[in-house]
Each structure stands twice: as C-alpha cells, then as structure tokens.
C-alpha cells in the first residue's frame, strides 16, 4: 500500500503534474457519500487547506467507506487530476485506501460549532481542527521570525536557567522546586523550613524571567536574546494570563532609551511582516472565521510609526477622557499602574496606532530600571512633561486588542544607585550578589525588553483567549495533558 512515497497535502495542492500517481495520508475532515460518488476532504496539518479525494463507491467495500468518518486517519493512493470543482486546483481520483485509525460518533471534535471553552477540555484533540492547526502553524512561524531577526541583527541566542534562587520581579509569586518530603518538613526554631538537605541546599523556584542572567550575557557578548518558558504562580483567571508561558528577552550593551524603542518597534514590525508574508492561507482563514479585521490590523501596524508617549502625558489624556464622559473600571491617577482598558483606550481610541509608553513612576516598576535625572514634585520629566515624582526609563509597547505586548527599560548600571534602590525597597541582596557584581566590575550602560510570546500570537491570530494560542495551557487548577 505504501510503496509510493508520501506527498504532503501542501505539496500536492501546489503540484500541477496531472496524471501522476500520488500517495497522501492524513485525517478526514468531511466525508460526503452518495450512490454515484464519495468526496473525502483530507488534511495532514501541513496546510489549512484540504485535498479532495474522489471515490467511486462501487470499487470499494461499503463497510470500509462507512468507517471513514470525520477524524479517521487514512492513506490514499490515486491519480492527481485537475479539479472540476471551484476553490481548488487539484484533487485525487482514488484507487486504494488504507484505514489507519477509525473515529467513532463520540469523537469530540465533530464538524460543528463547538466553543473554544468546550475545546479546551480536549486540548489533546483540538489541535486537529482547522482553527488550532492555523494557530499552531503561525506560532511556529513567529518562533522562526524571532530567531531569524536576532540572528540577522548580530544577537546571540543565550540560554538562561529555569531553576533559580532569585526573584527577578520581586513579587514572590513563584513555583518552588524541591525534592524534600512535603509530609515531613524540617523547620528551625523560628518555624522556617530548613533547606540544607534539599537538592540545591537552598530554596529554589521556577524562573519568572531570564532577564537578570541575560544581562550577564549582554555584558560579555554585547547583544543576546533568550527564548524559553517562564512561570508565574499568580492566581489570575483572565484571558491574558498563563502560569507557564514563553518569553523573548533581548539585552543589549551600550543601548540608550531612544535606541531601545527603535529596537522594539523594528522587531515587532519584523514579526508582523513575517506573518503576513509566510502565513497567508492561515491568516485568511482566521480573518474569515475569527476576526474580520485581523489582516487590516496587522497591515496597519506596519504602516504606522509608533507613538512615543510619556506616562505622565498618557495620564493627562486618560483624565481628560474621563472628564468628557469616558468610563473606566479602574482608577488612573498619576502613580497608578495602568490597566489593560487604559492602554487599549490610548491605542485603539485616542491615537489609533501602537504606542510606546515611557518614563513610568518608580513605585510601579522594577528595581533594576534606570531612574530619570529629573526628580521631585513638579519636576520636568521626559520630553518636557511635568512629573509629580520619580520616574524610570521604562519603554512598554501597547498594541490594539492586547494592551501591553512588550515591557522594556534601560537598566541601572551604577552600583551605588542600584543598591540605593534595592535598600529603599527593603529587598534582600544575599541572593543577588552575582547580579550586583556586574555593576562593580566593568559596568556598562545597557537596556532590554521582554515580549510574552503568547501575547504576540494572540495579536497575530486574532484569538481572544491566551489559553487558545499555546498547545497545552497551564492555569490555576488546570495542569491536564
């Protein structure tokens, strides 16, 4: 049966060498039967498009044809011919069929309008549907775009540890890693767990970011990027949060704030352009089935120059909107961490283009960010805006439909200033000694950003829930598959 080498569906659909014998294998999307002719739509995951297999039922066992239902896996040998139907260039006149795997009427992914929430219960099977096939192919292409961009721009791929004894974000919401017997934990007189006999001899966790270690790489190699899984133990059941997700974090020596914003804009546009050029069929499908404004929105990102907006000016715009009747669920006074609704208002309604927000209040940003020179009540901050307090050189990219998609900053390179910030926040320094060493020995100006990979996929696909752009989502109370 398999004496003829298999041809992928994506290649078979491009082939115009009509009259040749061909072997395709895949899963049945639909099977339409009649006394005269059967039509089987076959897909192997290589493309969003199916190839049509035309079957003369008089030449095949009727019991075999009955078993070829939606979801069944088959191998087909037949003659490639020019299609008589609309919407396809070629089809296969079937000569033989081998049934690999049947699929009964209880198959959860039957061809009907199941909700994405329903499909999350079957993450092991939803990947076979058109929508999730398209999303996963785009996800692959975005990973290729990221590696290609950084390789072409002289960055080095740098691997940072998943197990760490430090907390990059300072939030404390981390998953612990231990080999200790949780039913017999040894504690000291103060009631604290003793980790001396643990695998690493100290308390360790899954990383929330590779940034701190990435900075070490940048001070040696000049420009590096990380691309790997990160973990947040936050009890957030929102369409924008996962407990396990992938992060891209470039770090560059000798980069200032303006250059960092240039990098952020150029990088994200490169990824969007790659999607438009390499994922045409999948994007057209998602544009039709999920979000009819998807392709226009992606093209708009390439057309527009991103707005560069100081936080203080952004607050003024939001407060003016409130005066004019705009209602927000969350407050937005100077010093507040902006919610997604505020970010999306600025991007989607006020400017109608992506925004890079800069110079945030120190109180809502991480300890490692570089502080602006202007300080104090009424001081003049970035680009002449009046700032009520200390601001940091943050550079967050805000996108339509998403809100924050990139979080970046210039890093504080001064040992004394960094130590002062750490002490003002009453942070423990014993586990950050190696990080502080980079400010003691040959310190240099540097900057970087973090891009949540799944948020990029959300934007590029038009999907509405982050659980639907990763194969097997990890969220509170959910670690199936």
């Amino acid at each position: 049966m398999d004496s003829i080498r298999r041809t992928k569906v994506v290649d078979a659909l491009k082939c115009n060498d009509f009259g040749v014998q061909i072997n395709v294998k895949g899963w049945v999307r639909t099977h339409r039967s009649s006394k005269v002719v059967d039509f089987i739509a076959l897909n192997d995951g290589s493309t969003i498009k199916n190839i049509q297999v035309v079957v003369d039922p008089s030449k095949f066992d009727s019991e075999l044809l009955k078993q070829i239902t939606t979801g069944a896996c088959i191998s087909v040998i037949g003659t490639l011919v020019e299609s008589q139907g609309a919407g396809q260039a070629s089809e296969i006149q079937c000569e033989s069929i081998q049934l690999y795997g049947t699929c009964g009427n209880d198959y959860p992914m039957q061809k009907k309008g199941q909700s994405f929430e329903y499909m999350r219960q079957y993450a092991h099977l939803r990947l076979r549907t058109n929508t999730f096939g398209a999303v996963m192919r785009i996800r692959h292409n975005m990973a290729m775009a990221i590696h290609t961009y950084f390789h072409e721009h002289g960055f080095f791929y740098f691997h940072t540890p998943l197990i760490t004894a430090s907390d990059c974000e300072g939030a404390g919401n981390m998953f612990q890693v231990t080999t200790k017997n949780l039913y017999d934990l040894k504690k000291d007189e103060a009631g604290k767990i003793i980790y001396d006999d643990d695998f690493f001899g100290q308390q360790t966790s899954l990383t929330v970011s590779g940034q701190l270690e990435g900075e070490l790489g940048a001070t040696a190699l000049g420009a590096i990027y990380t691309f790997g899984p990160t973990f947040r133990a936050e009890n957030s059941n929102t369409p924008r949060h996962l407990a396990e997700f992938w992060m891209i974090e470039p770090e560059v020596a000798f980069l200032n704030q303006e250059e960092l914003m240039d990098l952020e804009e150029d990088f994200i546009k490169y990824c969007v352009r790659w999607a438009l050029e390499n994922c045409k069929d999948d994007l057209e499908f998602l544009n039709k089935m999920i979000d009819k404004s998807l392709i226009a929105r992606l093209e708009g990102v390439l057309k527009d120059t991103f707005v560069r907006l100081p936080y203080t000016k952004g607050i003024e715009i939001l407060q003016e909107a409130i005066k004019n009747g705009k209602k927000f669920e969350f407050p937005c006074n100077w010093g507040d961490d902006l919610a997604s609704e505020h970010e999306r208002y600025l991007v989607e309604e006020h400017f109608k283009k992506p925004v890079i927000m800069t110079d945030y209040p120190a109180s809502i940003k991480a300890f490692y960010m570089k502080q602006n020179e202007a300080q104090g009540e009424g001081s003049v901050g970035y680009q002449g805006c009046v700032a009520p307090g200390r601001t940091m050189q943050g550079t967050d990219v805000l996108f339509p439909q998403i809100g924050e998609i990139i979080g970046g900053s210039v890093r504080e390179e001064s040992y004394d200033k960094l130590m002062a910030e750490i002490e003002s926040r009453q942070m423990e320094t014993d586990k950050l000694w190696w990080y502080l060493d980079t400010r003691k020995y040959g310190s240099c100006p540097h900057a970087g950003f973090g891009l949540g990979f799944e948020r990029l996929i959300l934007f590029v696909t038009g999907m509405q829930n982050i659980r639907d752009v990763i194969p097997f989502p990890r969220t509170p109370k959910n670690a199936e598959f």
Side-chain angles (χ1 to χ4, degrees):
M1 174 70 202
D2 291 341
S3 58
I4 299 175
R5 186 184 297 271
R6 174 200 170 206
T7 299
K8 289 185 177 181
V9 169
V10 66
D11 296 323
L13 291 170
K14 294 175 184 175
C15 182
N16 57 8
D17 191 9
F18 301 125
V20 301
Q21 203 174 45
I22 193 172
N23 176 209
V24 292
K25 304 178 182 183
W27 293 266
V28 175
R29 287 287 192 259
T30 59
H31 181 184
R32 291 179 290 131
S33 301
S34 72
K35 292 181 179 179
V36 178
V37 64
D38 282 19
F39 296 103
I40 299 172
L42 198 65
N43 190 286
D44 64 359
S46 60
T47 172
I48 189 71
K49 296 178 178 178
N50 307 320
I51 193 162
Q52 180 165 274
V53 179
V54 183
V55 181
D56 181 347
S58 66
K59 297 179 179 180
F60 291 88
D61 178 50
S62 60
E63 290 303 313
L64 171 67
L65 294 180
K66 284 180 183 179
Q67 294 182 77
I68 300 175
T69 58
T70 296
C73 185
I74 62 174
S75 173
V76 171
I77 290 178
T79 303
L80 186 71
V81 298
E82 193 169 1
S83 178
Q84 302 302 307
Q88 58 206 17
S90 58
E91 61 188 22
I92 297 174
Q93 292 286 348
C94 184
E95 296 166 10
S96 63
I97 300 175
Q98 181 177 357
L99 180 62
Y100 286 146
T102 59
C103 214
N105 293 329
D106 60 344
Y107 178 51
M109 298 292 114
Q110 296 288 347
K111 184 177 169 57
K112 56 184 179 181
Q114 297 111 336
S115 69
F116 291 138
E117 186 175 7
Y118 165 85
M119 285 195 245
R120 283 177 215 132
Q121 303 172 62
Y122 304 97
H124 57 307
L125 298 173
R126 68 175 183 170
L127 299 171
R128 300 184 194 176
T129 65
N130 286 333
T131 297
F132 286 93
V135 169
M136 293 306 142
R137 283 186 293 273
I138 291 173
R139 184 181 173 102
H140 158 79
N141 267 280
M142 288 298 90
M144 292 300 297
I146 288 161
H147 285 299
T148 304
Y149 177 88
F150 286 121
H151 179 68
E152 290 178 348
H153 287 77
F155 286 67
F156 297 101
Y157 186 24
F158 191 71
H159 297 102
T160 56
L162 295 184
I163 299 173
T164 179
S166 62
D167 179 1
C168 174
E169 299 294 324
N173 297 319
M174 304 175 74
F175 293 104
Q176 284 198 47
V177 175
T178 182
T179 57
K180 292 179 71 65
N181 181 355
L182 300 183
Y183 297 99
D184 184 24
L185 293 174
K186 296 178 182 178
K187 299 181 180 180
D188 61 19
E189 294 178 356
K192 292 184 177 180
I193 296 171
I194 298 171
Y195 286 93
D196 292 352
D197 60 342
D198 205 354
F199 187 89
F200 294 106
Q202 59 182 313
Q203 184 176 353
T204 55
S205 303
L206 294 176
T207 185
V208 299
S209 168
Q211 180 202 310
L212 300 189
E213 293 88 351
E215 288 185 50
L216 313 187
T219 61
L221 300 171
I224 64 93
Y225 72 103
T226 74
F227 188 176
T230 52
F231 308 86
R232 304 282 171 93
E234 299 173 359
N235 189 21
S236 298
N237 279 296
T238 79
R240 297 289 181 269
H241 288 87
L242 289 166
E244 176 185 278
F245 57 100
W246 287 65
M247 285 275 283
I248 300 95
E249 296 176 292
E251 287 289 330
V252 189
F254 316 115
L255 203 70
N256 63 31
Q257 190 177 28
E258 284 293 329
E259 293 166 333
L260 176 60
M261 289 188 282
D262 291 342
L263 175 64
E264 290 170 336
E265 182 169 348
D266 189 57
F267 168 70
I268 201 80
K269 284 183 173 179
Y270 183 95
C271 292
V272 171
R273 188 179 299 110
W274 183 289
L276 287 167
E277 292 175 356
N278 294 279
C279 308
K280 184 174 181 290
D281 290 343
D282 288 320
L283 287 177
E284 286 178 350
F285 171 82
L286 294 171
N287 193 85
K288 177 182 178 182
M289 303 300 295
I290 303 298
D291 183 346
K292 289 181 170 49
S293 62
L294 173 61
I295 291 177
R297 191 163 58 250
L298 295 176
E299 291 172 341
V301 167
L302 301 183
K303 177 184 65 177
D304 293 327
T305 299
F306 295 2
V307 175
R308 301 188 177 187
L309 177 72
Y311 170 91
T312 301
K313 182 63 178 176
I315 291 293
E316 291 174 3
I317 292 170
L318 292 167
Q319 291 179 341
E320 186 65 27
I322 293 171
K323 288 179 184 177
N324 293 329
K326 179 68 179 179
K327 295 188 182 302
F328 294 114
E329 181 181 354
F330 298 101
C332 55
N333 299 308
W334 200 97
D336 290 333
D337 199 357
L338 296 186
S340 178
E341 61 176 343
H342 305 134
E343 296 167 342
R344 291 185 61 179
Y345 172 81
L346 292 169
V347 172
E348 297 171 16
E349 298 185 45
H350 186 81
F351 290 107
K352 294 183 171 59
K353 61 175 68 175
V355 169
I356 304 180
M357 183 165 277
T358 67
D359 306 290
Y360 288 84
S363 60
I364 61 172
K365 287 299 179 181
F367 73 95
Y368 48 73
M369 291 191 183
K370 188 175 182 66
Q371 187 173 301
N372 281 311
E373 292 298 324
Q375 296 186 39
E377 187 71 31
S379 65
V380 177
Y382 183 66
Q383 291 186 351
C385 290
V386 176
R390 293 192 308 136
T391 59
M392 302 290 219
Q393 291 185 25
T395 58
D396 292 358
V397 180
L398 314 180
F399 257 32
Q401 305 290 111
I402 301 295
E404 182 191 324
I405 194 168
I406 283 178
S409 76
V410 179
R411 319 307 191 188
E412 180 54 69
E413 79 272 15
S414 165
Y415 177 84
D416 291 337
K417 290 181 179 179
L418 187 61
M419 278 301 299
E421 189 65 32
I422 288 173
E423 289 170 359
S424 72
R425 298 176 185 233
Q426 299 180 320
M427 294 174 59
E428 296 181 7
T429 60
D430 59 325
K431 293 180 180 179
L432 289 174
W433 63 270
W434 50 269
Y435 182 72
L436 294 169
D437 267 3
T438 60
R439 272 64 173 178
K440 290 168 65 177
Y441 305 119
S443 183
C444 69
H446 60 287
F449 66 80
L451 166 70
F453 188 48
E454 282 70 28
R455 290 198 179 186
L456 173 64
I457 308 304
L458 267 183
F459 179 75
V460 172
T461 61
M463 300 293 281
Q464 299 300 304
N465 195 305
I466 203 164
R467 296 175 173 125
D468 298 328
V469 297
I470 190 169
F472 308 107
R474 296 291 180 256
T475 53
K477 312 298 183 190
N478 178 30
E480 295 279 358
F481 314 107

